[in-house]
């Protein structure tokens, strides 16, 4: 069986003409009252045959010798109907038209004239037999030749004229149908090529945006590109996607949060497309409606009537939208916010479109993380420079307040001793003793500074020994009374990096108490948080003059000191919590809580800081 990629146009033309001829036969026979069983069976067979050929044409298939079989079948039906309806005296003298059309379409003018001639022979023979039967002559050869030729010539002229006209008409009709089909096929191919080029250009734009989204390290650029990518992925300009509203809502503090903590901060409009000017200033607490559901569950939500949401109703851009899709910007335990898309068409967000937008939101989360990491690296570089600058300033202050003053005093005492020696003064021994004591204290201050710069005892003996050594050096160098109460079991659960950070936190807090609080006693305690054995606590208390915490914090940038900033940033390095409490006249308490396990870290950041008993 033949199979074609394009339709067999001649088959469709023959099928259509066959239906017309059969319909004409049915009407003519019915009007003439010549319908009998033979004619009915012949018409039903012809109709069934045409249905089979129609099915084959729909499938673009042909049986072997399709044209010959189809033409011969029409020949048989035409002969049966011609004879069963009375032949030359019947109502369908033109029954041969059925075979004539098939042969004309399939075989052209030659086929049409050949069919007309053959059908002429049939009609002549039938006429000869009919004339003999009504003449009463003993033999058909007794009929006058002239009578036979008169009837034959009349029928021959009609058949040949009909065959020529049908052959010519069918060829032109076939050519016209073929030309029309080729034109339409060419137009369809051209339209497909244009569509392919447009789709290719759209996909190129999509991949360029996707590449830009992956490579962008600027957070605002990431958000804007994600919205452009969403439009390009759904069709771009001059498509329904061009009417899609896009909004990115980020946590107002600009930092990632655990999903449960995300509810404690509001969502602000950070980027958008098709937004009204006032929409860019909006923020939402995400305590009600769809925003609350997305933040709580961390799952995408498709909903209708966004302008009726108790929080989203404030966005002017959503007033004409009937459907919306909210996608959380979340990865692991970190939640950054959400992306909101809305459209006037209630059925715009089909499953396929929703899936594409969800994929884009996932890629956007990765890019947001990269942008944040890059920003953190940049901030870390700046912070390192600030720390280096602060370390130099601190070293300069310590040298100026300690060894520099002592060395200046030593020089002055030496000058006094030289004059006393020149004058043979009797108090020379006392002056030399004071000079020796001053030199010894200077050496102690320098050693203490070297200890704070690099406490070797911390590297060799651990945190507990380093805290004790720090207390001894404070007592020996500055006569500052420092008491240390450290649990060795806590030290064993801290890694070296955490021990180093905790040591510097304690040293910073003790040094602040010595310089500013004028404390008589500073106590350092290291232990476990009561009620939670997976959280370590380092607490530094003094009985000094205290201070107003809010007043100091508000004017901290003008004081040129980073002491409290260092405490907070070093605490964050070990994922801890810092709590500073002070009251004027009642001393100061610095409390640092350090999680010892991952579970404790999550638990610690979900509850307020509780000062240990």
């Amino acid at each position: 069986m033949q199979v074609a990629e394009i339709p067999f146009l001649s088959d469709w033309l023959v099928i259509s003409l066959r239906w017309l001829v059969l319909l004409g036969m049915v009407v003519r026979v019915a009007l003439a009252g010549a319908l009998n069983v033979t004619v009915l069976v012949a018409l039903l067979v012809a109709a069934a045959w045409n249905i089979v050929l129609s099915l084959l044409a729909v499938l673009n298939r042909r049986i072997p010798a399709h044209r010959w079989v189809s033409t011969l079948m029409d020949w048989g039906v035409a002969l049966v109907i011609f004879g069963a309806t009375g032949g030359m005296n019947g109502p369908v003298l033109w029954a041969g038209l059925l075979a004539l059309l098939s042969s004309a379409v399939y075989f052209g003018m030659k086929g049409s004239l050949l069919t007309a001639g053959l059908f002429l022979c049939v009609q002549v023979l039938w006429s000869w037999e009919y004339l003999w039967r009504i003449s009463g002559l003993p033999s058909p050869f007794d009929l006058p030749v002239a009578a036979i030729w008169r009837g034959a010539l009349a029928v021959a002229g009609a058949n040949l004229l009909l065959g020529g006209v049908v052959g010519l008409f069918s060829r032109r009709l076939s050519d016209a149908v073929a030309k029309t089909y080729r034109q339409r096929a060419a137009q369809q191919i051209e339209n497909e090529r244009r569509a392919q080029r447009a789709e290719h250009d759209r996909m190129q734009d999509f991949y360029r945006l996707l590449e830009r989204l992956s490579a962008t390290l600027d957070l605002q650029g990431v958000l804007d590109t994600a919205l452009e990518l969403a439009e390009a992925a759904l069709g771009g300009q001059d498509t329904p996607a061009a009417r899609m509203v896009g909004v990115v809502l980020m946590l107002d503090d600009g930092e990632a949060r655990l999903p449960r903590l995300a509810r404690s901060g509001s969502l602000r409009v950070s980027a958008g497309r098709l937004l009204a000017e006032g929409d860019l200033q909006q923020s939402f607490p995400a305590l009600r409606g769809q925003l609350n559901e997305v933040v709580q569950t961390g799952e995408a939500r498709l909903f209708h009537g966004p302008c009726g949401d108790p929080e989203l109703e404030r966005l002017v851009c959503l007033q004409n939208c009937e459907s919306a899709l909210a996608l959380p910007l979340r990865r692991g335990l970190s939640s950054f916010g959400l992306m909101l898309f809305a459209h006037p068409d209630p059925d715009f967000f089909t499953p396929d479109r929703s899936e594409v937008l969800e994929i884009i939101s996932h890629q956007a989360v990765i890019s947001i993380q990269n942008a944040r990491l890059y920003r953190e690296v940049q901030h870390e570089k700046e912070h390192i420079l600030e720390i280096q600058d602060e370390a130099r300033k601190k070293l300069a202050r310590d040298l100026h307040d300690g060894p520099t003053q002592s060395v200046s005093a030593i020089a002055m005492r030496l000058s006094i001793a030289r004059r006393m020696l020149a004058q043979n003064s009797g108090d020379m021994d006392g002056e030399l003793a004071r000079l020796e004591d001053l030199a010894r204290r200077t050496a102690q201050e320098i050693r203490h500074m070297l200890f704070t710069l690099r406490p070797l005892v911390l590297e060799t003996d651990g945190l507990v020994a380093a805290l004790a050594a720090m207390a001894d050096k404070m007592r020996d160098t500055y006569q500052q009374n420092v008491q240390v109460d450290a649990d060795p079991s806590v030290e064993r659960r801290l890694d070296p990096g955490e021990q180093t950070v905790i040591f510097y936190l304690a040293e910073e807090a003790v040094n602040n108490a010595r310089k500013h609080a004028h404390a008589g006693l500073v106590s350092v305690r290291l232990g476990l948080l009561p009620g939670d054995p997976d959280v370590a606590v380092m607490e530094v208390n003094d009985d000094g003059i205290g201070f107003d915490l809010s007043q100091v914090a508000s004017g901290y940038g003008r004081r040129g000191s980073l002491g409290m900033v260092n405490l907070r940033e070093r605490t964050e390095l070990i994922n801890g919590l810092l709590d500073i409490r002070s009251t004027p006249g009642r001393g100061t308490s610095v409390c640092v809580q350090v999680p010892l396990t991952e579970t404790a870290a999550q638990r610690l950041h979900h509850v307020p800081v509780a000062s240990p008993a």
Side-chain angles (χ1 to χ4, degrees):
M1 183 173 290
Q2 289 181 296
V3 181
E5 295 182 358
I6 61 174
F8 290 106
L9 298 179
S10 58
D11 291 349
W12 281 110
L13 182 57
V14 169
I15 291 169
S16 301
L17 295 175
R18 186 181 291 118
W19 283 121
L20 291 175
V21 174
L22 290 176
L23 178 62
M25 286 182 174
V26 170
V27 173
R28 185 70 184 90
V29 170
L31 292 176
L35 186 63
N36 54 47
V37 176
T38 303
V39 174
L40 181 61
V41 171
L43 290 173
L44 291 177
V45 169
W49 172 245
N50 213 31
I51 291 175
V52 172
L53 294 181
S54 299
L55 294 176
L56 291 175
V58 169
L59 299 175
N60 292 335
R61 294 175 180 271
R62 275 182 168 181
I63 60 176
H66 185 91
R67 296 185 299 169
W68 289 101
V69 172
S70 179
T71 303
L72 291 176
M73 179 63 74
D74 290 338
W75 260 96
V77 172
L79 290 174
V80 170
I81 294 177
F82 176 78
T85 56
M88 295 291 291
N89 298 322
V92 284
L93 176 64
W94 45 270
L97 183 62
L98 186 63
L100 198 65
L101 291 174
S102 298
S103 58
V105 172
Y106 283 138
F107 302 105
M109 180 68 76
K110 294 180 179 179
S112 176
L113 294 176
L114 180 61
T115 299
L118 291 175
F119 211 79
L120 169 63
C121 294
V122 172
Q123 289 174 321
V124 168
L125 291 174
W126 193 95
S127 299
W128 193 358
E129 188 273 339
Y130 175 74
L131 291 174
W132 170 69
R133 194 159 28 85
I134 64 174
S135 66
L137 296 175
S139 171
F141 296 102
D142 295 333
L143 289 172
V145 175
I148 297 175
W149 276 108
R150 281 196 302 270
L153 288 175
V155 175
N159 278 357
L160 291 177
L161 179 61
L162 184 61
V165 170
V166 170
L168 182 63
F169 172 76
S170 65
R171 173 53 58 188
R172 291 185 177 180
L173 182 61
S174 298
D175 292 343
V177 171
K179 181 179 179 181
T180 302
Y181 176 79
R182 285 193 294 269
Q183 289 176 347
R184 292 184 177 179
Q187 184 63 39
Q188 183 178 359
I189 293 174
E190 181 63 25
N191 292 338
E192 290 178 355
R193 289 177 178 173
R194 290 178 181 175
Q196 289 176 353
R197 286 195 296 268
E199 181 65 16
H200 179 265
D201 294 340
R202 188 179 71 84
M203 292 305 298
Q204 280 191 329
D205 293 339
F206 175 80
Y207 285 119
R208 278 196 294 266
L209 287 172
L210 186 61
E211 183 180 1
R212 193 172 81 186
L213 178 64
S214 303
T216 301
L217 295 177
D218 175 63
L219 181 59
Q220 190 61 46
V222 167
L223 303 182
D224 293 335
T225 303
L227 294 177
E228 293 181 33
L229 185 62
E231 179 188 358
L234 299 187
Q237 298 180 352
D238 302 327
T239 66
R243 301 169 59 197
M244 181 179 67
V245 175
V247 185
V248 180
L249 302 173
M250 301 290 288
L251 289 171
D252 57 2
D253 57 5
E255 298 295 335
R257 294 188 180 184
L258 297 173
R260 287 174 55 190
L261 283 180
R263 286 174 286 175
S264 64
S266 62
L267 296 168
R268 59 178 174 82
V269 177
S270 300
R273 60 180 306 275
L274 303 183
L275 266 65
E277 184 176 354
D279 290 341
L280 293 173
Q281 311 300 324
Q282 296 289 347
S283 62
F284 307 93
L287 299 177
R288 299 181 298 163
Q290 300 295 338
L291 295 182
N292 178 261
E293 291 291 332
V294 175
V295 169
Q296 283 192 20
T297 63
E299 298 177 354
R301 287 186 66 85
L302 175 63
F303 56 95
H304 296 278
C307 57
D309 186 84
E311 292 191 359
L312 294 176
E313 63 180 359
R314 288 185 285 140
L315 288 176
V316 178
C317 61
L318 300 182
Q319 296 305 311
N320 296 324
C321 294
E322 295 294 333
S323 60
L325 177 66
L327 301 167
L329 296 175
R330 176 179 173 183
R331 187 173 179 86
L333 295 177
S334 299
S335 179
F336 301 96
L338 59 89
M339 297 181 73
L340 178 69
F341 298 98
H343 199 275
D345 184 357
D347 300 320
F348 178 77
F349 295 103
T350 61
D352 290 340
R353 286 173 173 167
S354 299
E355 183 179 0
V356 170
L357 293 176
E358 191 166 359
I359 292 174
I360 292 175
S361 71
H362 293 164
Q363 182 63 39
V365 170
I366 297 175
S367 299
I368 289 172
Q369 284 184 314
N370 293 339
R372 290 189 184 279
L373 289 175
Y374 177 75
R375 186 177 66 179
E376 290 175 2
V377 169
Q378 294 298 107
H379 288 174
E380 189 63 25
K381 289 181 179 179
E382 296 174 0
H383 180 56
I384 290 174
L385 294 177
E386 291 177 357
I387 290 177
Q388 291 177 345
D389 185 59
E390 177 62 19
R392 287 192 293 267
K393 291 179 179 178
K394 182 177 181 297
L395 182 59
R397 287 194 301 267
D398 291 343
L399 287 172
H400 178 272
D401 296 341
T404 302
Q405 299 293 333
S406 300
V407 170
S408 298
I410 291 174
M412 184 176 61
R413 291 287 181 182
L414 285 173
S415 176
I416 295 173
R418 182 174 56 81
R419 287 196 298 268
M420 292 177 64
L421 184 61
Q423 297 174 3
N424 295 320
S425 172
D427 195 21
M428 187 63 183
D429 291 339
E431 185 63 27
L432 291 176
R434 286 190 291 273
L435 185 60
E436 179 183 3
D437 180 65
L438 185 58
R440 187 179 295 109
R441 284 192 289 109
T442 302
Q444 289 177 342
E445 290 177 356
I446 294 174
R447 282 196 296 269
H448 180 74
M449 292 177 61
L450 293 174
F451 172 77
T452 57
L453 289 174
R454 185 181 180 185
L456 295 177
V457 65
L458 178 63
E459 301 175 10
T460 57
D461 299 331
L463 178 59
V464 175
L467 291 175
M470 183 264 294
D472 293 340
K473 290 186 178 295
M474 282 288 181
R475 189 178 305 109
D476 294 340
T477 305
Y478 302 108
Q479 291 75 49
Q480 176 65 58
N481 189 13
V482 179
Q483 293 182 352
V484 176
D485 179 13
D487 186 353
S489 64
V490 177
E491 177 189 294
R492 290 191 292 269
R493 299 183 63 181
L494 295 168
D495 61 48
E498 292 174 331
Q499 292 185 34
T500 301
V501 172
I502 291 175
F503 171 80
Y504 280 113
L505 286 170
E507 191 271 335
E508 182 82 25
V510 171
N511 216 27
N512 288 340
R514 176 185 66 83
K515 289 182 177 180
H516 309 296
H518 308 293
L521 175 63
V522 180
S523 63
V524 180
R525 189 182 75 84
L526 178 65
L528 297 175
L529 183 67
D532 195 340
D534 291 331
V535 177
V537 177
M538 191 276 294
E539 190 173 21
V540 178
N541 296 315
D542 66 68
D543 57 0
I545 60 175
F547 61 94
D548 186 339
L549 187 61
S550 60
Q551 182 179 0
V552 172
S554 62
Y556 212 69
R558 300 188 297 271
R559 297 173 61 233
S561 174
L562 297 177
M564 291 180 62
V565 174
N566 289 338
L567 290 175
R568 295 192 182 281
E569 291 183 346
R570 283 173 174 166
T571 302
E572 291 175 358
L573 290 177
I574 53 177
N575 201 21
L577 289 179
L578 174 67
D579 181 31
I580 301 176
R581 300 179 182 181
S582 183
T583 303
R586 301 183 59 182
T588 301
S589 174
V590 177
C591 177
V592 178
Q593 298 183 16
V594 183
L596 301 176
T597 64
E598 191 70 27
T599 303
Q602 298 181 17
R603 185 168 62 251
L604 186 63
H605 288 278
H606 280 66
V607 298
V609 177
S611 180

